[in-house]
Amino acid sequence: MCEKFLIINAGSSSLKFSLYDMPVAKEIVNGYIEKIGNQDSFYTLKYNGQKQEKNRVIMNHTEAVKVMLEELLENQFISDISDIKGIGHRVLHGGEFYSESVIIDDEVLNNIKSLTKLGPLHHPGEIAGIESMQSIMPEVPQIAVFDTAFHQTMPKENYMYAVPYSWYEENGVRKYGFHGTSHKYITETMKNYFNKDNVNLIICHIGSGASMCCVKDGKCYDTTMGLTPLDGLVMGTRSGNIDSSIIEYICKERNMSVEEVTSELNKRSGLLGIAGKNDFRDVENLANSGNEKAQLAIKMLKNSIAKYIAQYYVELDGKVDAIVFTAGIGENAVSLRASIVNSLSSALNIELDQEANNSIARFKEKQSGMITTEDSKIKVMVIPTNEEYMILKDTYDMANKKIEKSSKVKNLEYK
Ligand code: ADP
């Protein structure tokens, strides 16, 4: 018998949701509510190959949850809210509390609330989503799936910053890492592929937000994002790592506040800061038409990724099962992948299979596979990420743990 499970991903001004039939993991409908808190908020519903867009003023996340449930009922995706047997919430920050997903109880919710200072943009919406669902459906298990959880296995020397120790003890300043659900999905997929648990991987999740993960013996050993998702690689609108003295310098030089400079580093830097465009396709088109700033931005992005691959190669003592590209840019940007692999070719003894690389992208027949030759010392692969599936899997497994405490947890196959 099919049971319905709901996945909720609340952003600062948005709420995405998907309803699934389980255990077949078939998506029934997904929705995206945008511009929450604005007069021009609207939402989109997608089901059966159809797309519906509706305008409606939605002032906060509690209202957004009500609109979501109304739509699910009116369109008969559920006949009653009791059809929903489990709810998975994507939560940005689990701090040092959580190294895996958890069933949300009062203590978990309090911990998530206490982490709002580390996720000020995301946590208020996420908490409102959880609390609304709890008040409407108190009996249904709700599961928190944290973006940071997979990175909790990092050794201390990799997650500490060399700053006064009290900043760590009293203020929680350390590297947490993000995109953990994606890095975990790729790691689990590669464990299946190599048929072993102790895989060593270098994962490049390159989307608008981008991070890399060094996986040693099947666990996160290092990652590029830090206390916040601003650190590490050059991204669509984020600077990645910079000399932190730049902040004070620019505050004085341009008469700006720390908040303004931090906002510029998050929203107006990266590809956008250098090339004037944040979407990689636009930057690539500009570069191909001879725009020097766009060419520079792509070189900077390439170098930032290549440098971390080299660093993680050393951290893994050269024993790397695979380098994996994933997310929007990693899965599609054929020429960027080629230039990264070629730039590391002689240092790491890797050899690009140009034809294989050219043949893999979301819009092509092949969406995953190997892009290096048989002679290459390290396999380089493209694997589409599937964070939503990972959230669904954890939600389903944990909800069933709660519903049937004594019975064996059902296992889903990875798609
Ligand atoms: P996020 O989830 O962080 O918003 P995505 O993983 O969806 O990001 O990736 C978005 C990025 O992927 C954008 O910069 C976009 O330009 C890039 N992208 C999507 N399709 C292509 C493509 N065909 N070629 C190059 N880049 C692409």
Side-chain angles (χ1 to χ4, degrees):
M1 198 191 82
C2 279
E3 297 173 325
K4 294 193 169 58
F5 281 73
L6 186 63
I7 303 300
I8 296 180
N9 184 353
S12 50
S13 63
S14 68
L15 187 128
K16 288 184 197 157
F17 62 91
S18 310
L19 184 73
Y20 285 89
D21 256 339
M22 296 301 280
V24 288
K26 183 174 177 290
E27 189 185 79
I28 303 167
V29 56
N30 73 61
Y32 188 19
I33 305 177
E34 295 179 70
K35 294 197 173 183
I36 296 173
N38 289 312
Q39 290 299 323
D40 58 346
S41 43
F42 65 99
Y43 59 96
T44 323
L45 292 178
K46 286 190 193 160
Y47 55 93
N48 283 343
Q50 295 178 44
K51 186 173 163 183
Q52 268 186 40
E53 197 170 299
K54 296 189 186 181
N55 295 308
R56 178 155 162 188
V57 182
I58 300 170
M59 286 321 288
N60 53 46
H61 283 79
T62 311
E63 270 180 49
V65 163
K66 287 194 182 128
V67 170
M68 169 187 77
L69 289 174
E70 263 172 45
E71 287 289 351
L72 294 182
L73 283 163
E74 272 171 27
N75 290 294
Q76 294 175 356
F77 298 122
I78 51 175
S79 52
D80 187 272
I81 50 171
S82 64
D83 289 355
I84 299 171
K85 302 297 181 208
I87 302 161
H89 295 267
R90 182 180 191 166
V91 180
L92 179 79
H93 225 299
E96 287 190 329
F97 294 118
Y98 302 110
S99 55
E100 49 189 40
S101 305
V102 285
I103 292 178
I104 303 172
D105 57 17
D106 289 349
E107 187 192 328
V108 173
L109 187 57
N110 282 336
N111 287 338
I112 295 173
K113 285 182 178 170
S114 75
L115 291 164
T116 302
K117 59 187 175 194
L118 291 173
L121 290 180
H122 292 82
H123 274 218
E126 289 163 359
I127 291 162
I130 293 168
E131 287 186 326
S132 315
M133 294 310 287
Q134 278 181 334
S135 67
I136 298 166
M137 310 168 69
E139 297 306 321
V140 179
Q142 304 208 40
I143 285 82
V145 182
F146 301 97
D147 255 23
T148 50
F150 183 66
H151 302 299
Q152 278 296 303
T153 50
M154 270 187 285
K156 201 159 189 172
E157 62 273 23
N158 285 350
Y159 71 68
M160 288 298 288
Y161 294 113
V163 294
Y165 203 83
S166 57
W167 293 10
Y168 166 63
E169 288 177 314
E170 292 162 28
N171 310 101
V173 171
R174 53 159 282 179
K175 186 194 278 191
Y176 291 98
F178 297 87
H179 290 142
T181 315
S182 172
H183 291 300
K184 185 175 175 189
Y185 175 80
I186 299 295
T187 304
E188 296 297 324
T189 306
M190 297 315 284
K191 282 182 187 176
N192 283 346
Y193 178 84
F194 288 112
N195 201 18
K196 62 176 186 180
D197 278 341
N198 58 344
V199 285
N200 285 351
L201 305 167
I202 299 173
I203 305 172
C204 312
H205 174 113
I206 318 295
S208 323
S211 73
M212 288 174 53
C213 187
C214 174
V215 175
K216 194 176 200 169
D217 288 333
K219 297 190 192 89
C220 172
Y221 185 74
D222 207 348
T223 191
T224 55
M225 283 179 168
L227 176 76
T228 72
L230 179 57
D231 203 6
L233 302 169
V234 170
M235 300 176 228
T237 63
R238 293 177 223 153
S239 61
N241 46 22
I242 57 163
D243 177 349
S244 41
S245 304
I246 292 172
I247 297 175
E248 187 192 356
Y249 177 73
I250 288 297
C251 282
K252 287 182 180 157
E253 284 287 307
R254 299 179 75 98
N255 196 21
M256 289 164 76
S257 66
V258 171
E259 289 75 18
E260 284 167 341
V261 176
T262 307
S263 169
E264 297 260 291
L265 292 174
N266 273 294
K267 296 183 182 155
R268 298 189 46 78
S269 300
L271 298 178
L272 180 66
I274 300 295
K277 296 276 180 194
N278 63 296
D279 190 290
F280 188 77
R281 286 163 290 199
D282 295 338
V283 181
E284 211 171 28
N285 287 339
L286 277 178
N288 290 340
S289 68
N291 183 299
E292 286 180 12
K293 286 182 179 165
Q295 290 165 356
L296 173 65
I298 292 177
K299 276 190 199 152
M300 290 169 74
L301 173 63
K302 183 206 89 182
N303 280 356
S304 76
I305 298 167
K307 273 194 247 179
Y308 277 113
I309 293 178
Q311 179 184 323
Y312 290 168
Y313 175 84
V314 173
E315 289 189 50
L316 293 172
D317 207 12
K319 299 182 186 77
V320 183
D321 291 307
I323 298 168
V324 183
F325 285 101
T326 192
I329 300 174
E331 289 167 35
N332 296 298
V334 169
S335 62
L336 182 75
R337 287 195 309 241
S339 70
I340 293 168
V341 174
N342 287 333
S343 73
L344 292 163
S345 173
S346 56
L348 304 191
N349 265 319
I350 52 180
E351 191 179 30
L352 184 77
D353 180 335
Q354 207 165 328
E355 212 173 294
N357 184 46
N358 288 343
S359 70
I360 299 174
R362 272 183 205 161
F363 54 91
K364 298 198 167 165
E365 210 172 298
K366 229 175 136 196
Q367 274 110 38
S368 68
M370 190 112 63
I371 59 166
T372 37
T373 63
E374 300 233 316
D375 293 335
S376 182
K377 191 178 157 217
I378 303 169
K379 293 179 170 63
V380 181
M381 306 186 68
V382 179
I383 309 283
T385 193
N386 198 340
E387 289 161 286
E388 177 124 329
Y389 184 75
M390 212 66 222
I391 299 173
L392 181 65
K393 183 184 184 304
D394 276 4
T395 303
Y396 183 73
D397 287 352
M398 301 202 72
N400 278 292
K401 252 185 231 171
K402 185 166 178 181
I403 293 165
E404 311 163 32
K405 276 198 179 95
S406 55
S407 66
K408 206 166 164 270
V409 178
K410 296 168 197 165
N411 271 324
L412 288 162
E413 290 297 314
Y414 285 98
K415 274 195 282 192

